[in-house]
Amino acid sequence: PRQMLYCHAAPVGSPEEALWGQRMDKLRAIILTPSIAAVWLLGLALASAIGAWDESWLHAKLALVVALSGFHGYLAAQSRKMARGARP
């Protein structure tokens, strides 16, 4: 996300870098993680409600969602590293 760019531009060990690290942690904890959990739960509930488990479009969509969730996990790990002061 954009916050990673701002953190990357801040000098290593500076108060600005620490502030961006705190902001990234809050963003991840308050918005990103709960939203991806809610999307997964609601999506699975909807698939169950309409009985779409045997549909081929659902399998394709699930593959895409798994790939996007993996990318989200990768970016979350990178932001945790940057919040600790490491640079990619």
Side-chain angles (χ1 to χ4, degrees):
R2 173 164 285 192
Q3 289 80 12
M4 293 173 75
L5 295 175
Y6 294 142
C7 184
H8 189 67
V12 177
S14 69
E16 182 183 5
E17 179 195 36
L19 185 60
W20 280 111
Q22 291 171 357
R23 289 173 181 162
M24 287 190 299
D25 286 341
K26 286 181 182 179
L27 176 71
R28 191 175 50 253
I30 296 171
I31 298 173
L32 296 177
T33 301
S35 66
I36 198 165
V39 166
W40 266 100
L41 289 173
L42 293 172
L44 293 175
L46 179 61
S48 293
I50 64 173
W53 294 110
D54 295 333
E55 303 287 335
S56 59
W57 65 267
L58 181 66
H59 297 161
K61 186 172 184 172
L62 279 175
L64 179 63
V65 169
V66 167
L68 288 173
S69 295
F71 184 62
H72 166 79
Y74 169 75
L75 288 179
Q78 290 297 318
S79 73
R80 278 193 293 276
K81 288 178 187 176
M82 289 184 75
R84 288 192 306 261
R87 294 288 192 253

